[in-house]
Amino acid sequence: SLESVAVERLVAAQHARRSILLADERLTMSAHMAAATGERRWIERYDANIPVIEAAIAAAMKLAPPAVAERFDRETRVANDRLVAIERQAFEHMRAGRLGRARALLDGADYARHKKVLSEGTERFATATVAAARRGIEQLMMWTQFIIGVIALTTLLTGIALWRGLSNHLRRSEQAFLQAQNEIRDLSANDALTGVA
């Protein structure tokens, strides 16, 4: 039913929001762990989460109304691209053995600012997408109530029309019966040839 589709859309929007935030946190954690420990396995985990966040964002974009998706893309694309560039630069410093520089990049104001833009944009995007899904459910419920009302009214009017039709038919039948009864009484009371009583 349309209602279950709308509910599924709402659940999918909430899931997409959580998936984006979780993948973003995994990316951030992997980058910070790589810079803190110098271990390359954290870069591998980082690289493994890039497709995850891209898939989560793509799924969310499909669920969002076009204006919401456009705003999210406009607000967060530059921030996300800049964060990835900073993280990649930190990895280059890490590979070169400059862990202090790698950590400084990830702890810097530029990184924090872009992280905040991405986080706030994702939250606004998710909130707007969930709100749109809820509005869809509310509109669907209103239409459902309207349709039920129309069906009930149609049923009532059909019942009234049927009752009137039956009532008129019954009245005509009673009149025909009374007329036939009067004719029978007249025939039984009068001679059929002469008409004399």
Side-chain angles (χ1 to χ4, degrees), residues 12-170:
Q14 292 171 333
H15 176 71
R17 174 187 166 270
R18 287 190 298 270
S19 296
I20 291 170
L21 294 175
L22 178 61
D24 180 53
E25 284 306 309
R26 286 179 177 163
L27 289 171
T28 301
M29 188 234 4
S30 296
H32 280 278
M33 289 301 293
T37 66
E39 296 176 11
R40 293 185 189 273
R41 68 184 174 108
W42 292 108
I43 296 173
E44 292 168 6
R45 285 189 183 182
Y46 177 91
D47 289 338
N49 278 294
I50 291 288
V52 174
I53 196 167
E54 288 173 353
I57 290 171
M61 295 287 265
K62 288 179 185 175
L63 294 169
V68 172
E70 181 183 319
R71 180 179 177 191
F72 174 71
D73 187 52
R74 186 178 62 246
E75 287 180 342
T76 60
R77 178 181 296 277
V78 172
N80 186 58
D81 291 348
R82 186 66 187 129
L83 283 171
V84 170
I86 292 169
E87 290 160 347
R88 296 282 183 205
Q89 191 177 8
F91 295 156
E92 290 304 315
H93 285 301
M94 188 205 87
R95 286 185 186 107
R98 297 184 299 266
L99 294 181
R101 283 188 176 176
R103 283 191 298 271
L105 280 173
L106 298 176
D107 292 336
D110 193 35
Y111 186 82
R113 183 172 53 84
H114 290 298
K115 188 79 172 150
K116 183 178 179 184
V117 168
L118 183 62
S119 176
E120 289 174 353
T122 300
E123 195 57 43
R124 275 192 301 275
F125 170 76
T127 301
T129 301
V130 168
R134 283 193 175 127
R135 280 191 303 274
I137 291 171
E138 290 168 0
Q139 288 174 346
L140 182 61
M141 289 174 68
M142 286 175 32
W143 275 108
T144 301
Q145 290 172 350
F146 173 76
I147 290 169
I148 289 171
V150 167
I151 290 170
L153 182 61
T154 303
T155 303
L156 177 65
L157 292 176
T158 301
I160 290 172
L162 182 61
W163 176 79
R164 285 180 127 181
L166 289 174
S167 179
N168 287 338
H169 182 69
L170 181 60

Side-chain angles (χ1 to χ4, degrees), residues 171-189:
R171 188 174 37 249
R172 284 192 301 270
S173 294
E174 284 179 306
Q175 288 172 349
F177 176 75
L178 290 175
Q179 185 179 358
Q181 192 178 24
N182 287 338
E183 286 177 14
I184 290 172
R185 192 176 337 118
D186 286 345
L187 285 173
S188 67

